[in-house]
């Protein structure tokens, strides 16, 4: 199932069908067959790929509980191979990566992407601006200074070619994806079952591979430093850390700051990391680590947003006021009052976080900070008014390190469901959003009721022995 999902997703992307791939111009290195498929065939293939991807992950996790142990090296090799394939097919299922290229190009031209819009770049008859997608043409960038710097680097490498700029963005995402898989494998430790679980939920998860690498969404650029901050923070709990506490705190703080400076919503799991580490670090080490972490994060954020300025906040507020792609059936007045919008978001966050804090299974003993991080990540994603499937990159790496529970099925199924609703992805119709505004609230209601009733309990392995598989 997993292999079939990856193959179908790659084939759909390589077809270059306009329902899957937006125009990016000529001269790129992508394997684009320029083949047009019947719309019903494209939709059926998308459903097949997303459905098989979800089923494959869930079935793999069940096999691990029964004793299957794929070789970690083979899992990482398969991750790298799939990543390369998805890097070299055209960017698929959304226009976001084209928007990233526009913003990077604006920086290269010496303009401010938090002020200048893709439409203004289009009016300059810039070669990249002429290919601007219509969906965000009047929206300045809503991403942080680190994401924008990486987009600018890709734009410098790609020159005046939209295709080449998007290619370099995909290369960055591909490198981050494989690096994150390797970090998760290390955090999982020597236990083969934990390593297999990390591999299935991230490294060879077709849904994450497709949205993060083929779609090249910038959320991945924040997920990597977030997990690296978790790795750095682990050093604070080691006996005898002593004088290294300040260094570990500074590194963790800087990495956390980078994650937030990519996408501001990552402040939620960063807060969870801080809350989880606080009781684990005592005495003088706590004060030194706390001070160093604050300084590290502040330097990154202050430096970055000194460049972005107030325009970055204004741009984000403008984006939040849009009701076009809301996934919740809210009254129109919510979007016209920022205070009301913020209150709805806060209420949803607190409800989801409260239920999960009460009922979510415990985290691993060696990573006590993982549970509050995952609670905060799930609260901000599941409680969000906009819930695209690539937002789930915030919580899948954390879920991959959590012991097996029924939470796995809920979250993998959720990502597959939203993917099915939104694919093929380019030119999402109002009808698709109407379907999402039914499916997402129904899912949330069922999920929260199930969680409140204690149905997210850990799933015990059904086989005590370890079966060492020779393959995936």
């Amino acid at each position: 199932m997993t292999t079939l999902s990856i193959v179908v997703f790659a084939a759909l992307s390589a077809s270059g069908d306009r329902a899957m791939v937006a125009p990016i111009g000529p001269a790129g290195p992508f394997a684009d067959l320029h083949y047009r498929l019947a719309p019903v065939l494209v939709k059926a293939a998308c459903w097949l790929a997303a459905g098989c991807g979800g089923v494959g992950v869930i079935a793999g996790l069940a096999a691990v509980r029964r004793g299957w142990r794929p070789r970690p090296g083979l899992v990482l090799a398969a991750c790298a191979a799939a990543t390369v394939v998805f890097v070299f097919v055209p960017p698929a299922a959304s226009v976001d990566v084209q928007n990233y290229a526009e913003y990077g190009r604006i920086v290269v031209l010496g303009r401010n992407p938090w002020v200048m819009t893709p439409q203004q770049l289009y009016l300059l008859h810039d070669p990249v601006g002429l290919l601007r997608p219509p969906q965000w043409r009047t929206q300045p960038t809503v991403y942080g200074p680190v994401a924008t710097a990486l987009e600018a680097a890709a734009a410098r490498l790609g020159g005046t070619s939209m295709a080449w700029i998007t290619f370099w963005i995909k290369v960055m995402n591909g490198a981050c994806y494989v690096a994150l898989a390797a970090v998760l494998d290390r955090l999982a430790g020597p236990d083969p079952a934990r390593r297999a679980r990390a591999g299935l939920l991230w490294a060879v998860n077709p849904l994450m591979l497709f949205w993060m690498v083929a779609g090249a969404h910038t959320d991945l650029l924040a997920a990597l430093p977030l997990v690296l901050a978790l790795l750095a923070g682990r050093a604070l709990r080691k006996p005898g850390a002593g004088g290294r506490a300040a260094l570990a705190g500074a590194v963790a703080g800087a990495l956390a700051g980078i994650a937030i400076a990519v996408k501001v919503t990552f402040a939620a799991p960063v807060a969870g990391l801080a809350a989880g580490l606080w009781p684990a670090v005592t005495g003088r080490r706590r004060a030194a680590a706390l001070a160093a972490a604050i300084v590290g994060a502040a330097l990154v954020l202050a430096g970055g947003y000194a460049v972005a300025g107030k325009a970055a906040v204004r741009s984000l507020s403008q984006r939040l006021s849009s009701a076009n792609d809301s996934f919740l059936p809210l009254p129109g007045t919510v979007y016209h009052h920022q205070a009301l919008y913020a209150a709805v978001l806060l209420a949803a966050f607190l409800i989801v976080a409260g239920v999960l804090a009460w009922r979510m299974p415990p985290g691993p003993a060696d990573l006590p900070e993982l549970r509050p991080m995952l609670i905060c990540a799930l609260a901000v994603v599941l409680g969000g008014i906009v819930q695209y499937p690539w937002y789930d990159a915030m919580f899948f790496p954390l879920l991959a390190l959590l012991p097996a529970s029924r939470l796995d099925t809920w979250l993998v199924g959720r990502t597959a469901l939203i993917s099915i609703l939104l694919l093929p992805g380019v030119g999402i119709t109002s009808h698709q959003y109407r379907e999402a505004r039914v499916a997402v609230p129904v899912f949330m209601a069922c999920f929260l009721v199930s969680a409140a009733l204690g149905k997210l309990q850990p799933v015990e392995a059904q086989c005590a022995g370890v079966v060492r598989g020779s393959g995936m």
Side-chain angles (χ1 to χ4, degrees), residues 96-381:
D96 279 15
V97 70
Q98 285 94 325
N99 289 316
Y100 305 156
E102 299 280 335
Y103 299 136
R105 178 66 177 165
I106 289 171
V107 174
V108 169
L109 293 176
R111 307 295 183 89
N112 187 337
W114 291 279
V115 175
M116 187 175 184
T117 66
Q119 179 65 15
Q120 290 171 314
L121 186 65
Y122 172 86
L123 294 175
L124 292 177
H125 301 287
D126 180 84
V128 178
L130 291 175
L131 291 168
R132 59 100 180 89
Q135 289 86 343
W136 276 33
R137 62 184 182 275
T138 61
Q139 175 65 59
T141 185
V142 298
Y143 300 103
V146 170
T148 304
L150 293 172
E151 292 161 5
R156 289 192 184 280
L157 291 171
T160 58
S161 167
M162 168 73 85
W164 275 102
I165 296 173
T166 56
F167 170 73
W168 287 115
I169 291 173
K170 293 190 72 177
V171 168
M172 293 178 188
N173 272 52
C176 286
Y177 195 93
V178 176
L180 183 48
V183 174
L184 290 174
D185 185 67
R186 177 175 178 180
L187 281 167
D191 182 3
R194 289 182 67 181
R195 296 179 76 181
R197 177 177 168 77
L200 289 168
L201 279 166
W202 182 260
V204 291
N205 182 339
L207 297 168
M208 287 295 98
L209 277 163
F210 175 68
W211 289 115
M212 294 299 106
V213 185
H217 291 282
T218 199
D219 303 67
L220 177 58
L221 305 179
L224 177 59
L226 175 68
V227 176
L228 286 173
L230 172 63
L231 179 64
R234 188 174 64 168
L236 294 172
R237 292 183 284 100
K238 291 182 178 179
R244 295 196 300 273
L247 177 60
V251 172
L255 289 166
I258 290 172
I260 299 170
V262 171
K263 194 171 182 180
V264 70
T265 51
F266 277 76
V270 166
L273 174 62
L277 283 174
W278 179 258
V281 184
T282 59
R284 293 181 179 178
R285 286 196 306 155
R286 173 184 287 180
L290 176 63
I294 292 174
V295 170
L299 287 175
V300 171
L301 293 171
Y305 280 96
V307 176
K310 293 181 180 180
V313 178
R314 288 197 301 270
S315 178
L316 183 59
S317 299
Q318 178 185 345
R319 167 70 177 125
L320 292 177
S321 65
S322 173
N324 293 335
D325 55 354
S326 169
F327 281 60
L328 299 180
L330 299 174
T333 186
V334 171
Y335 304 98
H336 300 136
H337 297 84
Q338 291 185 12
L340 184 56
Y341 189 99
V344 170
L345 278 179
L346 179 60
F349 178 91
L350 292 175
I351 290 170
V352 177
V355 172
L356 290 176
W358 175 35
R359 287 299 198 181
M360 200 174 86
D366 59 334
L367 288 171
E369 57 271 30
L370 184 65
R371 188 175 186 270
M373 288 180 72
L374 183 55
I375 288 171
C376 290
L378 289 174
V380 78
V381 175

Side-chain angles (χ1 to χ4, degrees), residues 14-36:
S15 73
D17 189 277
R18 284 293 169 257
M20 286 290 294
V21 178
I24 56 174
F30 297 116
D32 188 345
L33 301 179
H34 301 286
Y35 188 76
R36 300 295 177 265

Side-chain angles (χ1 to χ4, degrees), residues 426-454:
V426 174
I428 300 174
T429 65
S430 58
H431 176 70
Q432 288 173 288
Y433 281 119
R434 285 197 298 269
E435 291 176 344
R437 290 183 187 117
V438 174
V440 169
V442 169
F443 169 88
M444 279 302 303
C446 294
F447 173 73
L448 291 176
V449 169
S450 179
L453 293 175

